[in-house]
Amino acid sequence: MKKYLFFTISFLLLFTILQVISGLILTAAYTPDFSGATRTAGSSIIVSQSQLPVMTLAALSAILSYFISNRVMKSN
């Protein structure tokens, strides 16, 4: 039970840290395109996003937390 709890906590921490770092990098690299900007009342644009980056970060977090939890539990 202790190993499962440690894995879960390390997974959540790693996933959160990787998401924040990814968001900071993407925000810093984003350059808005103002060429097509017009003022129209009541128009909204819905953009669908790919789930691949989130799934990739989740898989990377799971792999890293698995190795971290195994290493910590072996040392105890």
Side-chain angles (χ1 to χ4, degrees):
M1 183 70 179
K2 191 163 100 172
K3 186 175 182 178
Y4 175 74
L5 186 64
F6 188 79
F7 172 80
T8 304
I9 291 170
S10 64
F11 172 76
L12 291 174
L13 283 173
L14 283 171
F15 185 68
T16 303
I17 290 168
L18 288 175
Q19 284 285 58
V20 169
I21 291 171
S22 171
L24 289 172
I25 291 171
L26 290 174
T27 302
Y30 178 74
T31 53
D33 180 24
F34 293 117
S35 64
T38 58
R39 289 193 139 213
T40 57
S43 67
S44 62
I45 299 172
I46 298 174
V47 178
S48 64
Q49 297 177 353
S50 172
Q51 295 298 319
L52 187 61
V54 176
M55 296 295 284
T56 304
L57 287 177
L60 180 63
S61 298
I63 291 168
L64 288 174
S65 59
Y66 172 77
F67 287 120
I68 290 171
S69 65
N70 277 345
R71 175 164 280 182
V72 168
M73 291 302 149
K74 280 184 182 179
S75 66
N76 287 338

